[in-house]
Amino acid sequence: MPDISMTALALLCVAALAAGWIDAVVGGGGLLLLPALLLGLPAGTPAAYALGTNKAVAIVGTSAAAVTYARRAPVDVRTAVRIGLAALAGSSAGAFFAAGMSTEVLKPVIMVVLLAVAAFVILRPSFGTAPATGPAGPRRILAAIGLAGIGIGFYDGLVGPGTGTFLVLALTAVLHLDLVAASATAKIVNCCTNAGALATFAWQGTVLWQLACVMAVFNLAGGTLGARTALKQGSGFVRIVLLTVVFGLVTNLAYEQWWA
């Protein structure tokens, strides 16, 4: 366990709880959890330890949310796993290229895309609120594997922030899912990508396991509660949270780009 105060530990646990809830509903929990770790760990701690510990915590809440969704929502687990394996390959490729590319160049582009997405969701009130149209055909599944799997997986390895939110949007658009079913499918995909990333961090020895175990208990509770909330409140509620997270992500990226 790193040398941190009880106050800092308590705040990290609260952040893990809230991040688990947000991530289960619509993705984007890392926007809260990772900055909290960067601020809460002792000064001078390499950022790699925050990244590794973040993955060790997040995979617990994501897995809990995935199980909760799978039990209570109509999720095509086979399709989700296929997309997840493609995302695992994509994230590995993205991580390989990340070392030689400046993510600062990509941030303005991502912000424009997110604002366009927000405008689309606002101007299309029915987006993601209609019931799913039934099992997706082979072409739509292949498109989802390409876009949500390889494409967004590559982005996850290259940049990272907002991956869960992008997955929900892509799965809703390509597979014609409602937002609840898209969130459920995204959690299974996230489990695959998180597992690959965590294995890498663990191999590098950059996971603070004792701290991660404590925070993971709260992230587990948040993930389970978030999935149940989304299932109970429905797609309209998820839509509101989605827009909130999108604008939060844009604000965070803008801050990092121009003011940090």
Side-chain angles (χ1 to χ4, degrees):
M1 178 73 74
D3 185 18
I4 59 177
S5 67
M6 290 302 296
T7 300
L9 179 60
L11 291 175
L12 285 174
C13 289
V14 171
L17 177 70
W21 187 90
I22 294 170
D23 204 52
V25 175
V26 75
L31 296 173
L32 176 61
L33 186 57
L34 183 56
L37 280 165
L38 290 171
L39 291 172
L41 291 176
T45 302
Y49 285 90
L51 292 168
T53 305
N54 170 61
K55 286 298 182 184
V57 174
I59 195 171
V60 176
T62 300
S63 299
V67 171
T68 301
Y69 276 123
R71 288 177 175 175
R72 301 176 61 182
V75 182
D76 186 342
V77 176
R78 182 181 177 186
T79 297
V81 170
R82 290 163 69 184
I83 297 172
L85 292 176
L88 178 59
S91 64
S92 299
F96 176 79
F97 284 101
M101 182 178 293
S102 173
T103 58
E104 299 302 316
V105 178
L106 296 176
K107 287 180 180 178
V109 177
I110 297 168
M111 283 186 277
V112 171
V113 171
L114 283 169
L115 288 173
V117 165
F120 175 80
V121 174
I122 291 172
L123 295 174
R124 293 283 300 273
S126 62
F127 178 75
T129 58
T133 57
R139 290 185 179 180
R140 278 193 280 158
I141 292 176
L142 286 175
I145 290 173
L147 176 60
I150 298 174
I152 297 178
F154 184 85
Y155 167 81
D156 189 22
L158 187 67
V159 184
T163 296
T165 305
F166 281 131
L167 280 172
V168 172
L169 290 167
L171 292 169
T172 301
V174 176
L175 296 181
H176 298 175
L177 302 175
D178 62 55
L179 287 171
V180 172
S183 293
T185 305
K187 290 307 102 189
I188 297 175
V189 176
N190 272 345
C191 284
C192 295
T193 55
N194 282 346
L198 179 58
T200 301
F201 285 122
W203 178 73
Q204 294 173 341
T206 55
V207 180
L208 300 171
W209 290 109
Q210 289 180 310
L211 176 61
C213 288
V214 174
M215 294 176 64
V217 174
F218 291 85
N219 195 249
L220 172 68
T224 303
L225 180 61
R228 291 179 178 176
T229 302
L231 289 165
K232 181 178 180 180
Q233 299 297 330
S235 295
F237 172 78
V238 175
R239 183 174 181 272
I240 294 172
V241 178
L242 172 65
L243 288 172
T244 302
V245 170
V246 166
F247 284 118
L249 179 56
V250 170
T251 302
N252 178 71
L253 289 172
Y255 174 79
E256 291 181 352
Q257 180 73 14
W258 291 298
W259 294 291

